[in-house]
Amino acid sequence: MNRQDYLDRTQEQMPLARWEHTLRVVETAAILARRFDVDKEKVDTAAILHDFCKFWTAEELIFAIKQYKLPQDLLLYNQELWHGPVASVVATKELGIQDQDIKNAIFYHTTGKPNMGLVEKVVFLADYIEPARKMPGVEAVRLLAQNSLDEAIVLSLKQTIQFLISCGQRVYPLTYDTLRDLAKHENDI
Ligand SMILES: [Fe+2]
Ligand SMILES: [Fe+2]
């Protein structure tokens, strides 16, 4: 499969609005990859595929989480967290993605994880700051992303956690772990 196959297969999976989001993430991720000297091809492939399963039904995602033996505790948390891990496995099984950096970037693009690699960080951040994102505080994250992937991700995580708490939603533990991991260097939690 080549890049055009990944684009075509992804576009088939989703409505126009999410497809346009995907293209903005691809563009934003390319800018970040250039800025921070990260592997462009891996970033490109992961960004194209990151939301591959975003529009699968809850039943399909639950079935996949069980069948592929993904972390079962995902099922205790918001459905929003399910599509990344499932897409990572689907990308391997259906699209032949073998590269661990790409798989991780897809898997963890919603939660983050401790010790994220550069490809993971770029895709995570691009998904948060792509130009159509309007959530409060996103502009401050875009500014930090001019100079530091880690500082930008730390702020995005804090804002996500605050948002989830304000909505009365539970925060997936891995998201706290990611914040602790990245913030430990800057005394910043
Ligand atoms: Fe997503
Ligand atoms: Fe996304």
Side-chain angles (χ1 to χ4, degrees), residues 54-71:
K54 179 80 179 179
F55 283 86
W56 284 26
T57 64
E59 289 71 27
E60 288 170 322
L61 292 169
I62 291 167
F63 183 81
I65 287 168
K66 291 180 175 165
Q67 188 189 22
Y68 298 141
K69 301 193 177 5
L70 290 163

mmCIF file with all atom_site columns, all heavy atoms in Angstrom, residues 54-71:
data_model
loop_
_atom_site.group_PDB
_atom_site.id
_atom_site.type_symbol
_atom_site.label_atom_id
_atom_site.label_alt_id
_atom_site.label_comp_id
_atom_site.label_asym_id
_atom_site.label_entity_id
_atom_site.label_seq_id
_atom_site.pdbx_PDB_ins_code
_atom_site.Cartn_x
_atom_site.Cartn_y
_atom_site.Cartn_z
_atom_site.occupancy
_atom_site.B_iso_or_equiv
_atom_site.pdbx_formal_charge
_atom_site.auth_seq_id
_atom_site.auth_comp_id
_atom_site.auth_asym_id
_atom_site.auth_atom_id
_atom_site.pdbx_PDB_model_num
ATOM 1   N N   . LYS A 1 54 ? -12.632 6.312   13.938 1.00 0.00 ? 54 LYS A N   1
ATOM 2   C CA  . LYS A 1 54 ? -13.398 7.309   14.706 1.00 0.00 ? 54 LYS A CA  1
ATOM 3   C C   . LYS A 1 54 ? -14.906 7.134   14.519 1.00 0.00 ? 54 LYS A C   1
ATOM 4   O O   . LYS A 1 54 ? -15.691 7.422   15.408 1.00 0.00 ? 54 LYS A O   1
ATOM 5   C CB  . LYS A 1 54 ? -12.972 8.707   14.224 1.00 0.00 ? 54 LYS A CB  1
ATOM 6   C CG  . LYS A 1 54 ? -13.689 9.843   14.892 1.00 0.00 ? 54 LYS A CG  1
ATOM 7   C CD  . LYS A 1 54 ? -13.113 10.154  16.237 1.00 0.00 ? 54 LYS A CD  1
ATOM 8   C CE  . LYS A 1 54 ? -13.865 11.324  16.850 1.00 0.00 ? 54 LYS A CE  1
ATOM 9   N NZ  . LYS A 1 54 ? -13.378 11.674  18.171 1.00 0.00 ? 54 LYS A NZ  1
ATOM 10  N N   . PHE A 1 55 ? -15.326 6.646   13.358 1.00 0.00 ? 55 PHE A N   1
ATOM 11  C CA  . PHE A 1 55 ? -16.756 6.533   13.095 1.00 0.00 ? 55 PHE A CA  1
ATOM 12  C C   . PHE A 1 55 ? -17.256 5.102   13.091 1.00 0.00 ? 55 PHE A C   1
ATOM 13  O O   . PHE A 1 55 ? -18.356 4.826   12.619 1.00 0.00 ? 55 PHE A O   1
ATOM 14  C CB  . PHE A 1 55 ? -17.137 7.302   11.816 1.00 0.00 ? 55 PHE A CB  1
ATOM 15  C CG  . PHE A 1 55 ? -17.187 8.762   12.102 1.00 0.00 ? 55 PHE A CG  1
ATOM 16  C CD1 . PHE A 1 55 ? -16.034 9.532   12.027 1.00 0.00 ? 55 PHE A CD1 1
ATOM 17  C CD2 . PHE A 1 55 ? -18.357 9.362   12.540 1.00 0.00 ? 55 PHE A CD2 1
ATOM 18  C CE1 . PHE A 1 55 ? -16.054 10.878  12.355 1.00 0.00 ? 55 PHE A CE1 1
ATOM 19  C CE2 . PHE A 1 55 ? -18.385 10.708  12.877 1.00 0.00 ? 55 PHE A CE2 1
ATOM 20  C CZ  . PHE A 1 55 ? -17.239 11.472  12.776 1.00 0.00 ? 55 PHE A CZ  1
ATOM 21  N N   . TRP A 1 56 ? -16.450 4.218   13.633 1.00 0.00 ? 56 TRP A N   1
ATOM 22  C CA  . TRP A 1 56 ? -16.976 2.883   13.888 1.00 0.00 ? 56 TRP A CA  1
ATOM 23  C C   . TRP A 1 56 ? -18.027 2.993   14.992 1.00 0.00 ? 56 TRP A C   1
ATOM 24  O O   . TRP A 1 56 ? -17.955 3.886   15.843 1.00 0.00 ? 56 TRP A O   1
ATOM 25  C CB  . TRP A 1 56 ? -15.846 1.950   14.342 1.00 0.00 ? 56 TRP A CB  1
ATOM 26  C CG  . TRP A 1 56 ? -14.958 1.502   13.234 1.00 0.00 ? 56 TRP A CG  1
ATOM 27  C CD1 . TRP A 1 56 ? -14.710 2.151   12.053 1.00 0.00 ? 56 TRP A CD1 1
ATOM 28  C CD2 . TRP A 1 56 ? -14.171 0.302   13.205 1.00 0.00 ? 56 TRP A CD2 1
ATOM 29  N NE1 . TRP A 1 56 ? -13.818 1.423   11.296 1.00 0.00 ? 56 TRP A NE1 1
ATOM 30  C CE2 . TRP A 1 56 ? -13.478 0.289   11.977 1.00 0.00 ? 56 TRP A CE2 1
ATOM 31  C CE3 . TRP A 1 56 ? -13.987 -0.752  14.094 1.00 0.00 ? 56 TRP A CE3 1
ATOM 32  C CZ2 . TRP A 1 56 ? -12.616 -0.741  11.627 1.00 0.00 ? 56 TRP A CZ2 1
ATOM 33  C CZ3 . TRP A 1 56 ? -13.126 -1.782  13.761 1.00 0.00 ? 56 TRP A CZ3 1
ATOM 34  C CH2 . TRP A 1 56 ? -12.460 -1.784  12.527 1.00 0.00 ? 56 TRP A CH2 1
ATOM 35  N N   . THR A 1 57 ? -18.987 2.095   14.982 1.00 0.00 ? 57 THR A N   1
ATOM 36  C CA  . THR A 1 57 ? -20.002 2.128   16.041 1.00 0.00 ? 57 THR A CA  1
ATOM 37  C C   . THR A 1 57 ? -19.397 1.645   17.357 1.00 0.00 ? 57 THR A C   1
ATOM 38  O O   . THR A 1 57 ? -18.347 0.969   17.380 1.00 0.00 ? 57 THR A O   1
ATOM 39  C CB  . THR A 1 57 ? -21.182 1.192   15.709 1.00 0.00 ? 57 THR A CB  1
ATOM 40  O OG1 . THR A 1 57 ? -20.686 -0.150  15.686 1.00 0.00 ? 57 THR A OG1 1
ATOM 41  C CG2 . THR A 1 57 ? -21.807 1.549   14.359 1.00 0.00 ? 57 THR A CG2 1
ATOM 42  N N   . ALA A 1 58 ? -20.087 1.981   18.461 1.00 0.00 ? 58 ALA A N   1
ATOM 43  C CA  . ALA A 1 58 ? -19.619 1.510   19.775 1.00 0.00 ? 58 ALA A CA  1
ATOM 44  C C   . ALA A 1 58 ? -19.509 -0.012  19.778 1.00 0.00 ? 58 ALA A C   1
ATOM 45  O O   . ALA A 1 58 ? -18.540 -0.570  20.308 1.00 0.00 ? 58 ALA A O   1
ATOM 46  C CB  . ALA A 1 58 ? -20.577 1.992   20.864 1.00 0.00 ? 58 ALA A CB  1
ATOM 47  N N   . GLU A 1 59 ? -20.483 -0.678  19.171 1.00 0.00 ? 59 GLU A N   1
ATOM 48  C CA  . GLU A 1 59 ? -20.472 -2.153  19.152 1.00 0.00 ? 59 GLU A CA  1
ATOM 49  C C   . GLU A 1 59 ? -19.230 -2.677  18.425 1.00 0.00 ? 59 GLU A C   1
ATOM 50  O O   . GLU A 1 59 ? -18.581 -3.619  18.877 1.00 0.00 ? 59 GLU A O   1
ATOM 51  C CB  . GLU A 1 59 ? -21.740 -2.700  18.465 1.00 0.00 ? 59 GLU A CB  1
ATOM 52  C CG  . GLU A 1 59 ? -23.022 -2.524  19.243 1.00 0.00 ? 59 GLU A CG  1
ATOM 53  C CD  . GLU A 1 59 ? -23.495 -1.063  19.315 1.00 0.00 ? 59 GLU A CD  1
ATOM 54  O OE1 . GLU A 1 59 ? -23.166 -0.270  18.391 1.00 0.00 ? 59 GLU A OE1 1
ATOM 55  O OE2 . GLU A 1 59 ? -24.150 -0.699  20.308 1.00 0.00 ? 59 GLU A OE2 1
ATOM 56  N N   . GLU A 1 60 ? -18.910 -2.069  17.305 1.00 0.00 ? 60 GLU A N   1
ATOM 57  C CA  . GLU A 1 60 ? -17.729 -2.505  16.540 1.00 0.00 ? 60 GLU A CA  1
ATOM 58  C C   . GLU A 1 60 ? -16.451 -2.286  17.346 1.00 0.00 ? 60 GLU A C   1
ATOM 59  O O   . GLU A 1 60 ? -15.544 -3.132  17.362 1.00 0.00 ? 60 GLU A O   1
ATOM 60  C CB  . GLU A 1 60 ? -17.639 -1.729  15.220 1.00 0.00 ? 60 GLU A CB  1
ATOM 61  C CG  . GLU A 1 60 ? -18.690 -2.119  14.205 1.00 0.00 ? 60 GLU A CG  1
ATOM 62  C CD  . GLU A 1 60 ? -18.725 -1.179  13.003 1.00 0.00 ? 60 GLU A CD  1
ATOM 63  O OE1 . GLU A 1 60 ? -18.540 0.051   13.170 1.00 0.00 ? 60 GLU A OE1 1
ATOM 64  O OE2 . GLU A 1 60 ? -18.963 -1.666  11.895 1.00 0.00 ? 60 GLU A OE2 1
ATOM 65  N N   . LEU A 1 61 ? -16.379 -1.130  18.015 1.00 0.00 ? 61 LEU A N   1
ATOM 66  C CA  . LEU A 1 61 ? -15.167 -0.823  18.789 1.00 0.00 ? 61 LEU A CA  1
ATOM 67  C C   . LEU A 1 61 ? -15.031 -1.759  19.986 1.00 0.00 ? 61 LEU A C   1
ATOM 68  O O   . LEU A 1 61 ? -13.933 -2.254  20.278 1.00 0.00 ? 61 LEU A O   1
ATOM 69  C CB  . LEU A 1 61 ? -15.189 0.644   19.245 1.00 0.00 ? 61 LEU A CB  1
ATOM 70  C CG  . LEU A 1 61 ? -15.048 1.688   18.123 1.00 0.00 ? 61 LEU A CG  1
ATOM 71  C CD1 . LEU A 1 61 ? -15.363 3.080   18.642 1.00 0.00 ? 61 LEU A CD1 1
ATOM 72  C CD2 . LEU A 1 61 ? -13.638 1.651   17.525 1.00 0.00 ? 61 LEU A CD2 1
ATOM 73  N N   . ILE A 1 62 ? -16.144 -2.015  20.674 1.00 0.00 ? 62 ILE A N   1
ATOM 74  C CA  . ILE A 1 62 ? -16.101 -2.918  21.835 1.00 0.00 ? 62 ILE A CA  1
ATOM 75  C C   . ILE A 1 62 ? -15.682 -4.317  21.377 1.00 0.00 ? 62 ILE A C   1
ATOM 76  O O   . ILE A 1 62 ? -14.823 -4.960  22.003 1.00 0.00 ? 62 ILE A O   1
ATOM 77  C CB  . ILE A 1 62 ? -17.485 -2.961  22.534 1.00 0.00 ? 62 ILE A CB  1
ATOM 78  C CG1 . ILE A 1 62 ? -17.777 -1.619  23.207 1.00 0.00 ? 62 ILE A CG1 1
ATOM 79  C CG2 . ILE A 1 62 ? -17.550 -4.104  23.543 1.00 0.00 ? 62 ILE A CG2 1
ATOM 80  C CD1 . ILE A 1 62 ? -19.220 -1.436  23.654 1.00 0.00 ? 62 ILE A CD1 1
ATOM 81  N N   . PHE A 1 63 ? -16.253 -4.760  20.274 1.00 0.00 ? 63 PHE A N   1
ATOM 82  C CA  . PHE A 1 63 ? -15.907 -6.082  19.737 1.00 0.00 ? 63 PHE A CA  1
ATOM 83  C C   . PHE A 1 63 ? -14.409 -6.156  19.447 1.00 0.00 ? 63 PHE A C   1
ATOM 84  O O   . PHE A 1 63 ? -13.730 -7.120  19.813 1.00 0.00 ? 63 PHE A O   1
ATOM 85  C CB  . PHE A 1 63 ? -16.720 -6.356  18.465 1.00 0.00 ? 63 PHE A CB  1
ATOM 86  C CG  . PHE A 1 63 ? -16.485 -7.715  17.894 1.00 0.00 ? 63 PHE A CG  1
ATOM 87  C CD1 . PHE A 1 63 ? -17.132 -8.830  18.419 1.00 0.00 ? 63 PHE A CD1 1
ATOM 88  C CD2 . PHE A 1 63 ? -15.597 -7.897  16.827 1.00 0.00 ? 63 PHE A CD2 1
ATOM 89  C CE1 . PHE A 1 63 ? -16.906 -10.100 17.896 1.00 0.00 ? 63 PHE A CE1 1
ATOM 90  C CE2 . PHE A 1 63 ? -15.370 -9.166  16.306 1.00 0.00 ? 63 PHE A CE2 1
ATOM 91  C CZ  . PHE A 1 63 ? -16.024 -10.262 16.834 1.00 0.00 ? 63 PHE A CZ  1
ATOM 92  N N   . ALA A 1 64 ? -13.879 -5.102  18.824 1.00 0.00 ? 64 ALA A N   1
ATOM 93  C CA  . ALA A 1 64 ? -12.455 -5.086  18.470 1.00 0.00 ? 64 ALA A CA  1
ATOM 94  C C   . ALA A 1 64 ? -11.576 -5.047  19.726 1.00 0.00 ? 64 ALA A C   1
ATOM 95  O O   . ALA A 1 64 ? -10.545 -5.734  19.786 1.00 0.00 ? 64 ALA A O   1
ATOM 96  C CB  . ALA A 1 64 ? -12.159 -3.884  17.572 1.00 0.00 ? 64 ALA A CB  1
ATOM 97  N N   . ILE A 1 65 ? -11.979 -4.259  20.711 1.00 0.00 ? 65 ILE A N   1
ATOM 98  C CA  . ILE A 1 65 ? -11.174 -4.162  21.952 1.00 0.00 ? 65 ILE A CA  1
ATOM 99  C C   . ILE A 1 65 ? -11.089 -5.532  22.624 1.00 0.00 ? 65 ILE A C   1
ATOM 100 O O   . ILE A 1 65 ? -10.034 -5.928  23.139 1.00 0.00 ? 65 ILE A O   1
ATOM 101 C CB  . ILE A 1 65 ? -11.767 -3.097  22.900 1.00 0.00 ? 65 ILE A CB  1
ATOM 102 C CG1 . ILE A 1 65 ? -11.475 -1.694  22.338 1.00 0.00 ? 65 ILE A CG1 1
ATOM 103 C CG2 . ILE A 1 65 ? -11.210 -3.239  24.314 1.00 0.00 ? 65 ILE A CG2 1
ATOM 104 C CD1 . ILE A 1 65 ? -12.241 -0.570  23.015 1.00 0.00 ? 65 ILE A CD1 1
ATOM 105 N N   . LYS A 1 66 ? -12.190 -6.275  22.574 1.00 0.00 ? 66 LYS A N   1
ATOM 106 C CA  . LYS A 1 66 ? -12.179 -7.619  23.177 1.00 0.00 ? 66 LYS A CA  1
ATOM 107 C C   . LYS A 1 66 ? -11.410 -8.602  22.295 1.00 0.00 ? 66 LYS A C   1
ATOM 108 O O   . LYS A 1 66 ? -10.537 -9.325  22.767 1.00 0.00 ? 66 LYS A O   1
ATOM 109 C CB  . LYS A 1 66 ? -13.613 -8.103  23.385 1.00 0.00 ? 66 LYS A CB  1
ATOM 110 C CG  . LYS A 1 66 ? -14.329 -7.303  24.477 1.00 0.00 ? 66 LYS A CG  1
ATOM 111 C CD  . LYS A 1 66 ? -15.753 -7.787  24.674 1.00 0.00 ? 66 LYS A CD  1
ATOM 112 C CE  . LYS A 1 66 ? -16.385 -7.031  25.851 1.00 0.00 ? 66 LYS A CE  1
ATOM 113 N NZ  . LYS A 1 66 ? -17.839 -7.175  25.879 1.00 0.00 ? 66 LYS A NZ  1
ATOM 114 N N   . GLN A 1 67 ? -11.719 -8.578  21.007 1.00 0.00 ? 67 GLN A N   1
ATOM 115 C CA  . GLN A 1 67 ? -11.117 -9.553  20.097 1.00 0.00 ? 67 GLN A CA  1
ATOM 116 C C   . GLN A 1 67 ? -9.598  -9.399  20.018 1.00 0.00 ? 67 GLN A C   1
ATOM 117 O O   . GLN A 1 67 ? -8.862  -10.377 19.983 1.00 0.00 ? 67 GLN A O   1
ATOM 118 C CB  . GLN A 1 67 ? -11.724 -9.397  18.709 1.00 0.00 ? 67 GLN A CB  1
ATOM 119 C CG  . GLN A 1 67 ? -11.290 -10.500 17.769 1.00 0.00 ? 67 GLN A CG  1
ATOM 120 C CD  . GLN A 1 67 ? -11.714 -10.228 16.327 1.00 0.00 ? 67 GLN A CD  1
ATOM 121 O OE1 . GLN A 1 67 ? -11.959 -9.093  15.928 1.00 0.00 ? 67 GLN A OE1 1
ATOM 122 N NE2 . GLN A 1 67 ? -11.797 -11.291 15.554 1.00 0.00 ? 67 GLN A NE2 1
ATOM 123 N N   . TYR A 1 68 ? -9.134  -8.165  19.969 1.00 0.00 ? 68 TYR A N   1
ATOM 124 C CA  . TYR A 1 68 ? -7.701  -7.908  19.808 1.00 0.00 ? 68 TYR A CA  1
ATOM 125 C C   . TYR A 1 68 ? -6.978  -7.805  21.145 1.00 0.00 ? 68 TYR A C   1
ATOM 126 O O   . TYR A 1 68 ? -5.803  -7.439  21.193 1.00 0.00 ? 68 TYR A O   1
ATOM 127 C CB  . TYR A 1 68 ? -7.480  -6.629  18.988 1.00 0.00 ? 68 TYR A CB  1
ATOM 128 C CG  . TYR A 1 68 ? -8.027  -6.695  17.586 1.00 0.00 ? 68 TYR A CG  1
ATOM 129 C CD1 . TYR A 1 68 ? -8.636  -5.584  17.011 1.00 0.00 ? 68 TYR A CD1 1
ATOM 130 C CD2 . TYR A 1 68 ? -7.937  -7.860  16.830 1.00 0.00 ? 68 TYR A CD2 1
ATOM 131 C CE1 . TYR A 1 68 ? -9.148  -5.630  15.716 1.00 0.00 ? 68 TYR A CE1 1
ATOM 132 C CE2 . TYR A 1 68 ? -8.447  -7.919  15.545 1.00 0.00 ? 68 TYR A CE2 1
ATOM 133 C CZ  . TYR A 1 68 ? -9.049  -6.802  14.985 1.00 0.00 ? 68 TYR A CZ  1
ATOM 134 O OH  . TYR A 1 68 ? -9.554  -6.859  13.717 1.00 0.00 ? 68 TYR A OH  1
ATOM 135 N N   . LYS A 1 69 ? -7.714  -8.081  22.235 1.00 0.00 ? 69 LYS A N   1
ATOM 136 C CA  . LYS A 1 69 ? -7.113  -8.061  23.575 1.00 0.00 ? 69 LYS A CA  1
ATOM 137 C C   . LYS A 1 69 ? -6.418  -6.734  23.879 1.00 0.00 ? 69 LYS A C   1
ATOM 138 O O   . LYS A 1 69 ? -5.301  -6.692  24.416 1.00 0.00 ? 69 LYS A O   1
ATOM 139 C CB  . LYS A 1 69 ? -6.153  -9.244  23.757 1.00 0.00 ? 69 LYS A CB  1
ATOM 140 C CG  . LYS A 1 69 ? -6.840  -10.587 23.569 1.00 0.00 ? 69 LYS A CG  1
ATOM 141 C CD  . LYS A 1 69 ? -5.988  -11.727 24.060 1.00 0.00 ? 69 LYS A CD  1
ATOM 142 C CE  . LYS A 1 69 ? -6.644  -13.101 23.958 1.00 0.00 ? 69 LYS A CE  1
ATOM 143 N NZ  . LYS A 1 69 ? -7.938  -13.211 23.328 1.00 0.00 ? 69 LYS A NZ  1
ATOM 144 N N   . LEU A 1 70 ? -7.068  -5.669  23.504 1.00 0.00 ? 70 LEU A N   1
ATOM 145 C CA  . LEU A 1 70 ? -6.582  -4.331  23.864 1.00 0.00 ? 70 LEU A CA  1
ATOM 146 C C   . LEU A 1 70 ? -6.900  -4.090  25.336 1.00 0.00 ? 70 LEU A C   1
ATOM 147 O O   . LEU A 1 70 ? -7.649  -4.865  25.936 1.00 0.00 ? 70 LEU A O   1
ATOM 148 C CB  . LEU A 1 70 ? -7.264  -3.292  22.959 1.00 0.00 ? 70 LEU A CB  1
ATOM 149 C CG  . LEU A 1 70 ? -6.777  -3.383  21.510 1.00 0.00 ? 70 LEU A CG  1
ATOM 150 C CD1 . LEU A 1 70 ? -7.725  -2.678  20.557 1.00 0.00 ? 70 LEU A CD1 1
ATOM 151 C CD2 . LEU A 1 70 ? -5.379  -2.798  21.389 1.00 0.00 ? 70 LEU A CD2 1
ATOM 152 N N   . PRO A 1 71 ? -6.323  -3.065  25.963 1.00 0.00 ? 71 PRO A N   1
ATOM 153 C CA  . PRO A 1 71 ? -6.567  -2.866  27.402 1.00 0.00 ? 71 PRO A CA  1
ATOM 154 C C   . PRO A 1 71 ? -8.076  -2.792  27.705 1.00 0.00 ? 71 PRO A C   1
ATOM 155 O O   . PRO A 1 71 ? -8.775  -1.910  27.225 1.00 0.00 ? 71 PRO A O   1
ATOM 156 C CB  . PRO A 1 71 ? -5.887  -1.518  27.681 1.00 0.00 ? 71 PRO A CB  1
ATOM 157 C CG  . PRO A 1 71 ? -4.857  -1.390  26.612 1.00 0.00 ? 71 PRO A CG  1
ATOM 158 C CD  . PRO A 1 71 ? -5.432  -2.062  25.395 1.00 0.00 ? 71 PRO A CD  1
#
